Amino acid sequence: MKNLKKGLLVCLFLFPVLLFAQQDFKLHSHNDYLRNVPFWEAFGAGAASIEVDVILQNGNLMVAHEAETIKPELTLRSLYLEPIQKAVDLGMINAFGFHLLIDSKTEAYSTLEAIVKEVADFEGILFSPQNPKGLKLIVSGNRPKAEDYSKYPEWVFFDYQSKTLTADLPWKKIGIVSLSFRQFSVWNGKGRIVESEKLQLEEFVAAVHSFQKPVRFWAAPDSKSAWKAFYDMGVDFINTDQPAMAQSYLSTLSRNIFSTDSRHEVYQPTFATDGKVAPVKNIILMIGDGNGLAQISAGLFVNGGKLNLAQLKNLGLIKTQAADDFTTDSAAGATAFATGKKTNNRALSVDTSGKPLSNLPEILAEYNFNSGIITTDQLTGATPASFYAHHSERDDLDQIASYLPNSKLDLFIGGGRNSFADKIDAIQASGFEMLGNLDDLALSKADRIGYFSSIGSNPSMEKGRGDFLIKSAMGASAFFKSKNQPFFLMIESAMIDSGGHANSTSTIVTEVLDFDRTVGEMVQFADKNPGTLLIITADHETGGVSIPQGNREKGEVELAFHSDDHTGILVPIFAYGPHSDDFMGIYENNEVFEKVLGLVKKYHSK
């Protein structure tokens, strides 16, 4: 009774998990009776096949693998039949999405006779032509002869275990075909299975399927790599001792895999001034929010092994820690780039005591630079706001927005017009011409330009943002070039971070590819405008992303997530143009500012 109560509590806790959408995989809970809460754990994990070993002893069906482990209270009835009946009575089972695979460890005929007698007490829940959604039993282990299968009730089926598949087998009474995985392969589930062994498995699966029957392999490796391999082979019941973990992995697998037939061409840089000791006139800082090495790698593999980023030669790694936390947020990360000082998380261009810190647009104005910011985020977002506002709390949007009219920016492009609704007059009074169309940007003769791309948040690439980032970057660089003055431009791709928080592979990859297309345009601009230093980096990594598997020929990647938040992983930094080699090495994020300002002071005067 104690075990039953514990089981009910576990199952009630897991009950929401049972409401699975239609899924194209099924799990076999191997040796289920060995779990802390037999049946309920497998049921809660959505297992479609639940295995129980039985030993006939003194007329009782004991649940155990061998006689030495028998415990009098552990019977087929107490561990499985009664809990299943209870689940039906509670309304937790309306239609059976699983069967019991009973592995008979004692003499076939006498054990099966006892099983039939015991299970007959639960006739109301059993499969029949009148109850097609009822419970099926599949007898494995010691079984009667095949010619005797038809003598047993309609709810009894059998586990066929042979490579010999012929049309004269009693297929109507065969519920599943099972073989030891070791008959085909010695693979341990790590790395990749040998191709010839994989082919044998696939051929056997196809042969079983030709008789419209499902297949299972026992003694099989039990790992994520193995589960995916069996899934890809079309194995109907994936054998596992970890049904909850396998369910979690396989149910999100389609969401974690991404590929696309759409690939962009990459630009081949000239490298004419790359790494040369030459004057730096323009500085373009591109920030991929949340864009770590795994995210970049995913974009690379999906795009056929090529990225614009991958053409660049000078790169390093950045430590991202905030002043008050090992793991930075975007506010502290962007403040380090904008001011050269580490600050507390949530703070925008103020020090740890809340005192304003001069940011790059403010400092560079003294050297006759024009400055601009572009973001796919709202303009009050932490990264863009760090380049014009000074405030200790990133969520105080009204206070943050109030800094824009008096900022040293000459250009801003991004979403979030609603946050500036009562400040538009002040923004225009400060000399900003508000564009109604992004296409007008490149040819504008205005002194200062502003453009709100949305009243709230911009859409993601998946939801139709299109070429907004590329058009903004190209238009802004052309706008600044026409002024014949040095300029600083910050370009943020914000939604790589969103994909990391959501653990969305498709969001990450589509945003990385959009960012990379924009990188390509800025590399071309640098080649056409010598003296342009391009810096590409990230404020932090998001999602703890890794790439366990992929397919280079298909341009496919599988991402795994170890977090839904920022991490403290080093992030890459790339540089192109004069003095790009100054950005090589491993260093703190605030040192990017120091390197930039050092070059400004070297070649410009107030």
Side-chain angles (χ1 to χ4, degrees):
M1 182 61 69
K2 183 178 180 180
N3 282 341
L4 177 58
K5 288 181 178 178
K6 181 179 180 183
L8 283 170
L9 287 173
V10 170
C11 196
L12 287 170
F13 175 73
L14 293 174
F15 189 58
V17 181
L18 305 177
L19 305 177
F20 298 116
Q22 186 66 34
Q23 54 192 32
D24 56 355
F25 67 90
K26 295 179 180 178
L27 298 177
H28 173 80
S29 182
H30 179 248
N31 289 343
D32 179 76
Y33 56 92
L34 296 178
R35 303 190 206 295
N36 291 331
V37 188
F39 171 67
W40 292 110
E41 290 186 43
F43 178 59
S49 177
I50 302 175
E51 178 181 327
V52 51
D53 288 2
V54 297
I55 296 174
L56 181 61
Q57 185 183 75
N58 300 324
N60 296 313
L61 292 166
M62 312 307 298
V63 173
H65 190 269
E66 58 279 311
E68 292 78 11
T69 60
I70 287 176
K71 295 180 180 179
E73 69 276 14
L74 304 183
T75 66
L76 178 63
R77 178 180 285 265
S78 68
L79 285 185
Y80 290 91
L81 300 178
E82 289 178 346
I84 290 171
Q85 182 68 64
K86 190 70 174 180
V88 171
D89 294 343
L90 290 171
M92 301 171 77
I93 299 176
N94 295 314
F96 280 87
F98 66 90
H99 62 247
L100 286 184
L101 188 142
I102 300 179
D103 192 340
S104 175
K105 297 300 182 183
T106 44
E107 193 275 329
Y109 287 90
S110 58
T111 304
L112 183 50
E113 182 181 352
I115 291 171
V116 170
K117 182 178 179 181
E118 185 88 333
V119 177
D121 290 346
F122 300 85
E123 182 178 4
I125 65 172
L126 300 176
F127 167 84
S128 70
Q130 294 74 37
N131 185 23
K133 296 182 179 180
L135 176 65
K136 295 180 180 180
L137 270 62
I138 298 179
V139 177
S140 185
N142 295 322
R143 291 149 293 159
K145 294 178 181 178
E147 56 264 31
D148 292 331
Y149 286 0
S150 62
K151 298 178 181 179
Y152 293 94
E154 51 202 358
W155 41 266
V156 175
F157 296 83
F158 295 89
D159 183 15
Y160 183 72
Q161 297 184 5
S162 173
K163 286 185 176 181
T164 302
L165 305 172
T166 59
D168 59 351
L169 289 169
W171 287 109
K172 288 185 178 180
K173 292 295 284 183
I174 292 174
I176 193 170
V177 177
S178 301
L179 281 181
S180 169
F181 179 78
R182 299 305 167 195
Q183 292 189 44
F184 299 87
S185 174
V186 296
W187 183 48
N188 66 356
K190 307 298 181 186
R192 295 296 173 268
I193 188 171
V194 175
E195 189 64 27
S196 59
E197 296 175 351
K198 178 184 175 186
L199 182 60
Q200 291 182 55
L201 286 158
E202 290 175 335
E203 289 174 346
F204 182 74
V205 169
V208 174
H209 286 173
S210 72
F211 292 96
Q212 290 80 50
K213 292 298 176 180
V215 64
R216 173 182 74 97
F217 296 104
W218 46 274
D222 196 12
S223 65
K224 291 180 180 179
S225 295
W227 301 332
K228 183 176 186 298
F230 295 139
Y231 172 85
D232 290 341
M233 291 178 204
V235 175
D236 301 278
F237 291 93
I238 297 173
N239 201 78
T240 180
D241 289 316
Q242 309 169 81
M245 186 179 296
Q247 171 63 234
S248 175
Y249 172 73
L250 289 170
S251 64
T252 58
L253 184 59
S254 61
R255 185 164 81 96
N256 291 340
I257 293 177
F258 183 85
S259 65
T260 179
D261 294 329
S262 176
R263 298 178 180 179
H264 64 264
E265 295 297 322
V266 301
Y267 171 72
Q268 181 57 51
T270 66
F271 298 104
T273 63
D274 189 43
K276 301 293 177 61
V277 178
V280 173
K281 181 181 179 182
N282 309 313
I283 301 161
I284 302 174
L285 172 62
M286 301 186 69
I287 300 174
D289 198 326
N291 196 26
L293 188 58
Q295 287 85 344
I296 294 170
S297 301
L300 178 78
F301 297 134
V302 166
N303 201 52
K306 297 179 180 180
L307 283 182
N308 289 299
L309 271 177
Q311 308 305 305
L312 307 185
K313 298 177 180 179
N314 292 319
L315 62 152
L317 295 168
I318 290 179
K319 305 171 191 176
T320 63
Q321 282 63 46
D324 65 338
D325 200 329
F326 179 82
T327 305
T328 192
D329 72 348
S330 294
T335 294
F337 294 145
T339 71
K341 303 294 182 184
K342 285 184 178 285
T343 193
N344 297 335
N345 278 343
R346 310 198 64 79
L348 303 169
S349 290
V350 294
D351 65 18
T352 55
S353 66
K355 181 180 178 181
L357 295 167
S358 296
N359 58 42
L360 276 173
E362 292 166 345
I363 295 169
L364 295 179
E366 300 176 9
Y367 293 87
N368 297 311
F369 272 68
N370 288 309
S371 291
I373 57 173
I374 299 170
T375 181
T376 58
D377 194 4
Q378 297 193 38
L379 282 156
T380 50
T383 298
S386 295
F387 289 86
Y388 70 84
H390 304 275
H391 195 67
S392 296
E393 174 48 61
R394 59 181 289 179
D395 281 348
D396 290 341
L397 303 188
D398 188 63
Q399 292 92 321
I400 291 166
S402 67
Y403 282 93
L404 186 59
N406 299 317
S407 72
K408 294 298 182 180
L409 295 176
D410 300 286
L411 174 146
F412 65 82
I413 300 172
R417 188 184 191 280
N418 278 348
S419 296
F420 299 87
D422 60 349
K423 300 173 180 64
I424 299 298
D425 289 344
I427 291 172
Q428 291 177 316
S430 297
F432 284 98
E433 179 179 300
M434 301 305 298
L435 288 180
N437 192 322
L438 197 57
D439 293 331
D440 298 332
L441 172 59
L443 300 178
S444 175
K445 301 302 181 183
D447 291 331
R448 307 174 85 185
I449 286 288
Y451 177 73
F452 289 112
S453 53
S454 61
I455 60 173
S457 297
N458 288 317
S460 64
M461 286 300 294
E462 293 177 290
K463 295 183 178 179
R465 192 175 68 241
D467 58 0
F468 164 76
L469 189 62
I470 292 177
K471 287 179 66 175
S472 297
M474 293 176 66
S477 55
F479 171 75
F480 280 137
K481 179 183 177 181
S482 68
K483 293 183 174 300
N484 294 315
Q485 284 182 256
F487 70 83
F488 167 77
L489 178 62
M490 190 285 294
I491 303 170
E492 183 201 21
S493 176
M495 295 184 191
I496 303 169
D497 177 67
S498 303
H501 284 301
N503 285 183
S504 171
T505 296
S506 59
T507 301
I508 288 173
V509 179
T510 53
E511 294 295 333
V512 166
L513 294 178
D514 179 54
F515 186 53
D516 188 68
R517 286 189 287 267
T518 308
V519 168
E521 293 294 341
M522 294 300 95
V523 173
Q524 290 187 61
F525 180 87
D527 277 345
K528 294 176 182 177
N529 297 274
T532 299
L533 172 62
L534 177 62
I535 304 163
I536 308 114
T537 189
D539 47 358
H540 51 72
E541 193 275 346
T542 306
V545 181
S546 63
I547 308 178
Q549 303 189 71
N551 186 308
R552 287 184 295 179
E553 289 72 27
K554 294 180 180 179
E556 178 182 281
V557 292
E558 176 193 348
L559 300 191
F561 299 90
H562 302 275
S563 171
D564 61 359
D565 207 344
H566 303 169
T567 71
I569 300 170
L570 296 172
V571 295
I573 182 168
F574 302 79
Y576 181 73
H579 291 278
S580 59
D581 54 346
D582 290 2
F583 294 83
M584 297 172 67
I586 300 177
Y587 46 92
E588 298 287 347
N589 54 2
N590 58 307
E591 293 183 52
V592 175
F593 171 94
E594 300 297 342
K595 293 174 184 292
V596 167
L597 190 58
L599 292 172
V600 170
K601 291 179 177 180
K602 182 180 179 70
Y603 294 111
H604 301 268
S605 57
K606 294 183 180 181

